[in-house]
Amino acid sequence: MKDMTPETEITLDDAIKFLWSEADILDRNDFDAWLPLWHGGHYIIPIGDEVTDFANNLNIVYDDAQMRKARAARLSGGFSISAAPPARTVRTLSRFVFTEEAPGAVTIRSALHVIEDKFGRQRMFAANVEHKLIATENGIRITQKVVRLLNSDGMLTSISYLF
Amino acid sequence: MTLDHFPQGPQDASYAPLVKGDRVATPMYEDPAIFDVEMEKIFGKTWVWVGHESEVPDKGNFKLSVVGTQPVIISHDRKGALHVLVNRCRHRAATVCEIKKGKTSSFQCPYHGWGYALDGSLRGVPYTEGYNTDFDKKDYGLKKLKVETYQGMIFASFNMDVEPLEDFLGNAKPWIDLFMKQGGGFPVKTLGEHQFKVPMNWKIQLENTTDAYHFPVVHKSFMQSLDGEATQQFSFLEDDDGWVEDLGNGHSVMVMMPELNDLDDNLDAPIPERFQALAETLRADYDEDQVRRIVRAVGGCGFNLNLFPNAACSLSFFRILRPVSVNETEIRHIALGMDGGPEAANQMRMRLHEHFQGPMGFGSPDDAEVWERVQRGSAGGGDLDVMVNRGKGLEETSENGLPKGDISAETGMRAAYAKWQEMMA
């Protein structure tokens, strides 16, 4: 990562490399590496495609920094039967589009496919993902991540990893 | 061969003996023929929870639901009456609605354009001249179920001779009344829902709602995520003041935190640490009595009420099960809040719901994992029984004259299976 300041332009190439690195971290369930990618903000999996007022709606996930930390502890602590071991996942992230650009801050939308494997069965999820990213002296950081599962208001399954 | 030995089809078999009081036979989780009979004799006969009035609050509102495996529409007509209609055109069976929830003046079949009013009556048939003169629209309304409500909860039955809903709910009614106090002085309304399916038989979920025994084992990681006071609250298995009570008709209640049974009581008790910031916010708009009432309601009740065969009033939400097949069940966790109540209070209720419930909650995925493990395990040892004998022989008799066990007793499961046995006879 090149030297950054809060004013450094984040190029599409910078953003894609960052998101692929995050995807790799999540497939490896390396939550110790995932938590520091954040700079405040919320990790959100809303219900329904239209919702933008997340605080006043029921979400599947609505995590501030404290809840993200608790979630990571739950998933890696060894005391959660669904996460010990979790389903294994392989994900791809593609179709990257900048939807907002400002000095040192971008919003990037992408397509996410995740396949999980457990108990000899595989399940598939698709989502539109929106990251708000900022440039900091420590590199790119996430200030908001919204994962819109294609079937978020339908029947899902239990999930013990992160999108 | 005499008639006495004439072979019987599955619809003639009685599965009642598979329930053996304190244990049940494994095929009850595994045999598709039993599932089919359950849909007919249980879900086709008794009252089934289909929705809450706040989901269809206004005239013209509708919502899709299911009774057993059958798709239905809950519809609120122009005169204010609620209807539950089978979502199937009387002509060639296409669904007449595929929008999950909304507002309309009619339902129109997309195939040949038959149009139905909100009460299900057939109003329009394109090109009627193609039907003989004896064709009468009055004979072809959407199939209707019997509908009754209690405390805002809408129940429907395919059985027009079913007993009155209030008789069916019986001893569960006072517990429903207590449950609805979590409106904190406002009407209770739904705030959205989490939905997930689990590869398990529906009765594995039915059992779980009054199973305190699993809590400290399965939900250890949830407990670890709580502050000290909340941990104390959820350590009900360590306390000796909780209980599980058979309420008759297959219903049961598991009381985990008796001090939270009646949310109008103990309003002078200190506000728990995790609710103090909320209380401070509310003080700007409400007097101290109201603040205490709302804050106490935000945390939910202290019990799980299991309503046979598909609903539960669980601490602070509705837990609804929908059997899909012998080894597939869909679960809905419907969040509840205060209609017209303070935004901050409803936000906190939603955050508490998200914390435990749903596909990615800190609790439900671990429940789903062990339920799937039950289904996977019951593929083996089909001659072995599933034991629901915990607490048997140690029970007292309740005020209702029914068994009452300690908090970890499997009394609620035995109550549900006794009703199952009666209905499957």
Side-chain angles (χ1 to χ4, degrees):
Chain A
M1 184 62 66
K2 66 192 175 198
D3 291 335
M4 276 197 164
T5 73
E7 295 299 312
T8 306
E9 181 200 1
I10 300 174
T11 66
L12 186 60
D13 190 48
D14 293 336
I16 291 172
K17 280 180 181 153
F18 178 83
L19 296 192
W20 275 341
S21 163
E22 187 207 7
D24 183 64
I25 284 168
L26 290 177
D27 271 340
R28 289 188 283 104
N29 292 307
D30 186 358
F31 303 113
D32 289 340
W34 186 68
L35 292 173
L37 298 182
W38 284 80
H39 184 89
H42 282 87
Y43 169 58
I44 305 159
I45 305 184
I47 299 174
D49 297 333
E50 307 301 326
V51 177
T52 52
D53 180 5
F54 305 115
N56 281 309
N57 280 277
L58 184 73
N59 303 284
I60 295 164
V61 173
Y62 184 78
D63 284 0
D64 58 10
Q66 190 191 337
M67 276 295 279
R68 282 196 297 276
K69 198 174 159 201
R71 190 177 294 276
R74 186 183 105 79
L75 294 177
S76 56
F79 293 105
S80 159
I81 182 68
S82 63
R88 294 167 62 228
T89 59
V90 171
R91 71 192 65 204
T92 50
L93 207 58
S94 189
R95 203 202 62 203
F96 302 98
V97 181
F98 274 167
T99 55
E100 281 177 296
E101 286 178 82
V106 297
T107 303
I108 180 168
R109 190 171 68 224
S110 60
L112 170 69
H113 293 168
V114 181
I115 297 179
E116 65 156 76
D117 184 273
K118 189 168 193 178
F119 294 144
R121 53 152 169 74
Q122 295 195 338
R123 291 170 173 164
M124 206 160 43
F125 292 94
N128 286 300
V129 183
E130 185 191 84
H131 283 83
K132 288 186 186 296
L133 304 177
I134 58 164
T136 75
E137 280 157 10
N138 298 315
I140 295 175
R141 291 290 179 268
I142 306 166
T143 59
Q144 180 172 283
K145 178 175 176 180
V146 180
V147 180
R148 294 187 185 272
L149 291 168
L150 211 50
N151 190 29
S152 66
D153 65 347
M155 269 308 151
L156 296 165
T157 50
S158 67
I159 296 155
S160 281
Y161 49 86
L162 300 183
F163 290 111
Chain B
M1 185 166 159
T2 68
L3 269 181
D4 291 343
H5 298 98
F6 197 80
Q8 292 186 325
Q11 68 273 27
D12 296 323
S14 170
Y15 292 115
L18 296 178
V19 173
K20 307 164 190 178
D22 64 354
R23 60 189 67 197
V24 298
T26 300
M28 289 176 61
Y29 294 163
E30 290 283 328
D31 186 345
I34 296 177
F35 180 86
D36 291 344
V37 176
E38 288 173 337
M39 291 309 104
E40 178 199 328
K41 291 191 171 181
I42 297 173
F43 286 84
K45 288 277 161 40
T46 191
W47 288 107
V48 175
W49 194 102
V50 291
H52 187 261
E53 283 177 338
S54 64
E55 296 178 294
V56 285
D58 301 319
K59 293 171 180 177
N61 280 157
F62 67 87
K63 184 168 196 304
L64 300 185
S65 187
V66 281
V67 174
T69 56
Q70 302 196 42
V72 300
I73 307 168
I74 308 167
S75 150
H76 189 154
D77 78 14
R78 295 277 162 209
K79 292 172 187 159
L82 288 173
H83 304 276
V84 176
L85 312 162
V86 177
N87 188 4
R88 171 202 162 119
C89 181
R90 289 295 305 280
H91 174 216
R92 296 254 290 279
T95 54
V96 297
C97 181
E98 287 291 351
I99 295 166
K100 288 167 186 167
K101 188 177 174 180
K103 195 159 195 173
T104 188
S105 55
S106 65
F107 302 105
Q108 190 172 35
C109 179
Y111 199 177
H112 304 91
W114 286 29
Y116 299 90
L118 290 167
D119 66 357
S121 57
L122 177 60
R123 286 292 159 83
V125 173
Y127 310 109
T128 39
E129 62 276 17
Y131 286 98
N132 201 344
T133 49
D134 63 358
F135 179 87
D136 188 342
K137 287 206 289 265
K138 282 206 282 293
D139 300 332
Y140 295 96
L142 296 176
K143 182 169 176 172
K144 290 174 86 156
L145 286 80
K146 191 165 176 128
V147 185
E148 285 181 25
T149 63
Y150 186 76
Q151 286 272 25
M153 302 196 292
I154 309 169
F155 293 80
S157 179
F158 280 109
N159 177 8
M160 293 300 154
D161 301 322
V162 68
E163 67 192 305
L165 177 64
E166 293 208 21
D167 292 358
F168 173 69
L169 294 174
N171 299 324
K173 280 196 301 178
W175 291 99
I176 297 172
D177 299 345
L178 288 173
F179 185 79
M180 296 304 171
K181 287 191 180 188
Q182 60 194 300
F186 300 92
V188 167
K189 74 163 177 181
T190 59
L191 293 178
E193 60 184 296
H194 289 139
Q195 305 182 72
F196 58 103
K197 62 186 167 195
V198 183
M200 64 161 173
N201 187 271
W202 64 277
K203 298 187 291 297
I204 297 168
Q205 157 71 97
L206 183 72
E207 292 168 9
N208 181 260
T209 293
T210 54
D211 183 336
Y213 193 22
H214 83 290
F215 204 93
V217 182
V218 171
H219 299 306
K220 193 175 178 71
S221 74
F222 167 73
M223 297 282 282
Q224 288 169 336
S225 73
L226 301 175
D227 68 26
E229 254 174 319
T231 306
Q232 187 57 38
Q233 197 176 31
F234 280 94
S235 300
F236 41 79
L237 218 61
E238 318 288 325
D239 308 337
D240 59 0
D241 55 353
W243 72 91
V244 184
E245 193 178 328
D246 181 343
L247 297 174
N249 277 346
H251 315 314
S252 57
V253 65
M254 171 176 73
V255 176
M256 293 164 275
M257 308 146 198
E259 68 280 10
L260 293 175
N261 279 354
D262 189 334
L263 294 173
D264 288 342
D265 285 349
N266 306 321
L267 288 174
D268 298 333
I271 293 174
E273 171 85 36
R274 67 186 186 288
F275 294 121
Q276 278 173 12
L278 172 66
E280 199 48 45
T281 304
L282 296 177
R283 283 187 185 111
D285 297 314
Y286 299 92
D287 64 41
E288 189 60 23
D289 284 352
Q290 272 183 301
V291 167
R292 286 179 169 270
R293 194 170 180 208
I294 293 167
V295 165
R296 195 166 146 81
V298 162
C301 296
F303 57 86
N304 279 5
L305 173 69
N306 208 22
L307 300 175
F308 186 88
N310 78 321
C313 298
S314 179
L315 294 174
S316 57
F317 67 103
F318 293 142
R319 185 200 303 236
I320 309 302
L321 70 86
R322 176 198 168 188
V324 177
S325 68
V326 69
N327 56 11
E328 191 175 6
T329 303
E330 293 179 349
I331 311 287
R332 301 166 58 200
H333 288 167
I334 301 172
L336 301 172
M338 305 168 185
D339 197 356
E343 188 175 271
N346 282 334
Q347 281 188 2
M348 186 145 187
R349 284 193 62 101
M350 289 190 282
R351 300 295 90 83
L352 290 170
H353 191 86
E354 289 157 357
H355 188 168
F356 190 96
Q357 314 302 338
M360 294 181 76
F362 285 28
S364 302
D366 294 327
D367 278 327
E369 180 92 358
V370 294
W371 298 337
E372 183 171 3
R373 294 275 285 265
V374 171
Q375 192 73 36
R376 290 170 65 76
S378 62
D383 56 323
L384 303 174
D385 289 330
V386 176
M387 305 301 296
V388 289
N389 61 327
R390 191 174 166 85
K392 182 94 176 172
L394 304 172
E395 291 166 322
E396 303 165 13
T397 300
S398 73
E399 287 171 16
N400 296 315
L402 293 162
K404 177 179 174 181
D406 75 277
I407 181 71
S408 76
E410 287 160 346
T411 306
M413 299 167 220
R414 291 193 288 276
Y417 281 125
K419 184 67 179 176
W420 186 97
Q421 183 172 43
E422 175 198 317
M423 297 198 75
M424 293 290 282

